[in-house]
Amino acid sequence: VQLQASGGGLVQAGGSLTLSCTVSGFTLDYYAIGWFRQAPGKEREGVSCDSISGASLYYADSVKDRFTISRDNAKNAVYLQMNSLKPEDTAVYYCAAKYKGLRAGSYCRFYNTMNYWGKGTLVTVSS
């Protein structure tokens, strides 16, 4: 089982980035995917999660109306479109998988309930 986050980088405030999470060793049909982030000196937090049905999505209040999660099961990939980036979005972003995740808020708020994790990708937003 592997998850690989990519797409991070340096961007100016107000800019956009799209993160990708590609998975291998399992099928996305049975796993919800979440995006989490950890800034220096801060606890890891849930940014956005989807669900296996697609009916339940979660966004942290701090990213609502700016970030969008989406997936392409055929490509075994989940994306996080990040717009209107702010310096406070600076963090290492991780993707993680939740087996049979149905209610996004229930696992997105508690990162230690996720089953598998990938290595992170650094997003730096300059002011």
Side-chain angles (χ1 to χ4, degrees), residues 39-59:
K42 293 190 176 182
E43 191 173 359
R44 191 169 297 189
E45 64 171 345
V47 175
S48 181
C49 293
D50 70 4
S51 57
I52 56 173
S53 69
S56 177
L57 298 177
Y58 171 89
Y59 293 97

Side-chain angles (χ1 to χ4, degrees), residues 19-43:
L19 303 184
S20 299
C21 177
T22 54
V23 308
S24 59
F26 63 96
T27 173
L28 278 179
D29 291 344
Y30 299 109
Y31 284 85
I33 297 296
W35 287 97
F36 298 79
R37 67 186 180 187
Q38 189 164 18
K42 293 190 176 182
E43 191 173 359

Side-chain angles (χ1 to χ4, degrees), residues 10-18 66-67 81-87 89 123-126:
L10 174 64
V11 63
Q12 286 190 330
S16 298
L17 280 176
T18 300
R66 298 190 298 123
F67 290 10
Q81 175 67 43
M82 307 186 295
N83 298 327
S84 303
L85 283 161
K86 304 175 181 180
D89 294 319
V123 173
T124 303
V125 184
S126 63

